[in-house]
Amino acid sequence: MTRLAGGVVGEVDGDGTARAIAAREAAMIVDGAGLGLDPAVRELVVRRAVAGAIGLGPLEELLEDPSVSEVMVNGPFDIRVERGGRIEQTSLVLLDADHLERIALRALARANRRGDRREPIVDARLPDGSRLHVVLAPIAVGGPFLTVRRFVRSIRGIDELAAAASVSDEQRAELLELVQKRCNVLVTGGTGSGKTTWLAALLATADPSERIVVIEDALELPLDHPHAVRLEGRQQSVDG
């Protein structure tokens, strides 16, 4: 159960019910204080109160920004984001390492996973498809580490990608031929370089009669194909 200002809000079940109840409770508290806040400020206060009570605290502001592709928390006072393939330092800070650990454990609970000293490294998938990576003590020194990789919802076509990447007509034709011939293809590159985007675009060109089987540690590959089977790896438990 989650409590807000001493009142029971409800189970955090990920379906939005708890958030709606928490927002109503927070709004009642803010209005009852008689502060006479501007509507925009009132909404911001309520949102931050809900984020702190049942959400991911200040990190939710970053995750709601469509320009942010990844959030990297290297400690309570070092929060960075990736925008357009570039990593930037943010001005956001958390209270302390304990505050960060509470947020990390809450994020894992949202993904129906748990982490502790026996299982300090956890990979999971949030309800919106974003990929979550958490490292806890004693592996993490100076406080937990947390990374959220946003789920890519839109699929860019091969023609659009080829034009943006200055791929020649001959190179584009060669890529399509590799897919049609079912060749083994390795898509590699650094973080944020477009591996997932390119792989999704290539798979979308496969013949509709083909069956595509996708195996991932955490589901994040967007697919636009009529015959696809998706499998997600299961992390090894403490007993092996």
Side-chain angles (χ1 to χ4, degrees), residues 2-220:
T2 298
R3 295 178 179 271
L4 180 64
V8 176
V9 171
E11 296 291 344
V12 182
D13 50 16
D15 65 358
T17 303
R19 184 172 291 272
I21 297 174
R24 186 169 63 247
E25 291 283 326
M28 291 175 59
I29 294 172
V30 172
D31 294 341
L35 301 176
L37 299 176
D38 178 84
V41 175
R42 173 186 178 276
E43 180 182 356
L44 179 61
V45 171
V46 170
R47 287 177 58 192
R48 289 185 174 179
V50 173
I54 67 173
L56 303 184
L59 300 185
E60 292 206 353
E61 294 183 28
L62 302 177
L63 294 173
E64 291 172 358
D65 184 345
S67 69
V68 172
S69 57
E70 186 166 353
V71 176
M72 292 156 278
V73 185
N74 303 321
F77 313 119
D78 184 3
I79 302 176
R80 303 168 188 253
V81 297
E82 179 184 287
R83 286 189 176 94
R86 298 176 61 89
I87 297 177
E88 306 171 2
Q89 178 84 46
T90 75
S91 59
L92 288 178
V93 295
L94 303 178
L95 297 177
D96 49 32
D98 289 339
H99 186 200
L100 174 53
E101 183 172 353
R102 290 195 299 273
I103 289 177
L105 295 178
R106 189 177 294 163
L108 289 175
R110 182 178 292 184
N112 294 318
R113 299 296 300 273
R114 59 170 295 176
D116 51 34
R117 288 184 172 272
R118 294 183 304 169
E119 191 177 351
I121 302 177
V122 188
D123 288 295
R125 177 168 46 88
L126 294 173
D128 67 352
S130 296
R131 188 167 183 170
L132 172 69
H133 179 71
V134 173
V135 184
L136 302 170
I139 302 299
V141 179
F145 305 137
L146 182 151
T147 303
V148 179
R149 183 73 178 174
R150 299 285 295 276
F151 177 66
V152 179
R153 296 184 180 277
S154 60
I155 300 177
R156 300 175 66 183
I158 189 70
D159 292 336
E160 181 185 356
L161 283 178
S166 299
V167 173
S168 67
D169 292 340
E170 291 76 16
Q171 291 171 324
R172 174 186 171 281
E174 183 177 356
L175 288 172
L176 294 177
E177 185 179 7
L178 290 174
V179 175
Q180 297 305 317
K181 289 184 175 181
R182 306 175 70 182
C183 295
N184 292 327
V185 179
L186 177 64
V187 182
T188 182
T191 300
S193 61
K195 300 184 299 296
T196 300
T197 303
W198 269 99
L199 181 56
L202 289 172
L203 288 175
T205 68
D207 192 292
S209 64
E210 295 281 4
R211 187 187 196 204
I212 298 178
V213 179
V214 179
I215 305 174
E216 301 179 84
D217 288 331
L219 296 179
E220 63 175 337

